[in-house]
Amino acid sequence: IQYSQPFTVPAGYYHLLYYGINNAGYHTPTVAIRISVEASSPPATSIILNPPVPNGNNGWYVSNVKVSFAVEDDSSDVTTYYRIDGSEWHIYDATFTIGDGIHTIQYYSVDRDGNQETIKEKEIRVDLYAPEIEIEKPKNYLYIFDREIIPLRKPVIIGVITIKAAITDPAT
């Protein structure tokens, strides 16, 4: 085959023999090389959370969450990148902890051949603090049919009363 343009070969092992001929017809010595063409695909990164599933209600964690990554790839030389809540990208080198709040972790890996997987993301919702409840009514008074009469050491209620409470969650 006369070489005229770049060409591709499928994955496999090859013995390539080549030589050159100049315009005067002189041949260079034949050179033989072995070529290994490996089919490689991007790495596949998985996120590992500890605890593995939310330990609170409605998909919320009520404790800090430890985050690590596992990568499957044909190569052992893989670099994993991650970022939290749109911050700068970091190279993953150790487990890290996510605290209170709603956080988005984005991550991907690149192997030594330059194969990069698409960016993946995981939302983690952590609520470490219980809500605070404040009873606004009744206070330490005598109430008669929902009317505040006189202050006392503790509330005394005669008849029907409307109870008022305020609930706040200061951290999340």
Side-chain angles (χ1 to χ4, degrees):
I1 299 176
Q2 183 174 349
Y3 174 79
S4 60
Q5 64 184 12
F7 59 94
T8 58
V9 294
Y13 293 98
Y14 300 92
H15 292 282
L16 179 64
L17 304 171
Y18 65 93
Y19 61 90
I21 303 174
N22 68 11
N23 289 337
Y26 292 110
H27 283 245
T28 63
T30 300
V31 176
I33 61 171
R34 283 197 265 171
I35 299 174
S36 171
V37 178
E38 295 183 19
S40 62
S41 55
T45 307
S46 301
I47 192 167
I48 300 168
L49 305 177
N50 187 12
V53 294
N55 52 3
N57 294 326
N58 302 316
W60 285 83
Y61 289 88
V62 293
S63 62
N64 287 323
V65 178
K66 293 184 183 214
V67 179
S68 59
F69 299 102
V71 181
E72 289 185 27
D73 190 63
D74 300 333
S75 166
S76 60
D77 188 11
V78 176
T79 303
T80 299
Y81 298 88
Y82 73 95
R83 69 180 177 180
I84 303 168
D85 299 331
S87 66
E88 295 295 317
W89 288 100
H90 302 280
I91 294 175
Y92 172 72
D93 59 1
T95 299
F96 57 93
T97 301
I98 296 295
D100 200 67
I102 299 173
H103 303 285
T104 301
I105 299 177
Q106 293 177 300
Y107 57 97
Y108 68 95
S109 294
V110 179
D111 66 17
R112 72 171 175 226
D113 297 327
N115 295 313
Q116 177 178 324
E117 71 180 318
T118 57
I119 295 172
K120 298 176 182 176
E121 70 178 42
K122 175 76 174 171
E123 182 181 84
I124 301 173
R125 300 182 295 163
V126 180
D127 189 358
L128 299 176
Y129 306 99
E132 297 173 358
I133 300 174
E134 179 185 352
I135 303 297
E136 296 174 350
K137 180 180 176 187
K139 294 284 186 186
N140 292 337
Y141 281 87
L142 167 64
Y143 290 89
I144 300 177
F145 292 99
D146 206 27
R147 291 189 61 201
E148 199 174 273
I149 305 300
I150 58 172
L152 300 172
R153 287 192 209 167
K154 58 184 174 180
V156 174
I157 301 167
I158 299 172
V160 178
I161 189 168
T162 302
I163 297 174
K164 286 181 155 181
I167 301 172
T168 58
D169 194 350
T172 306

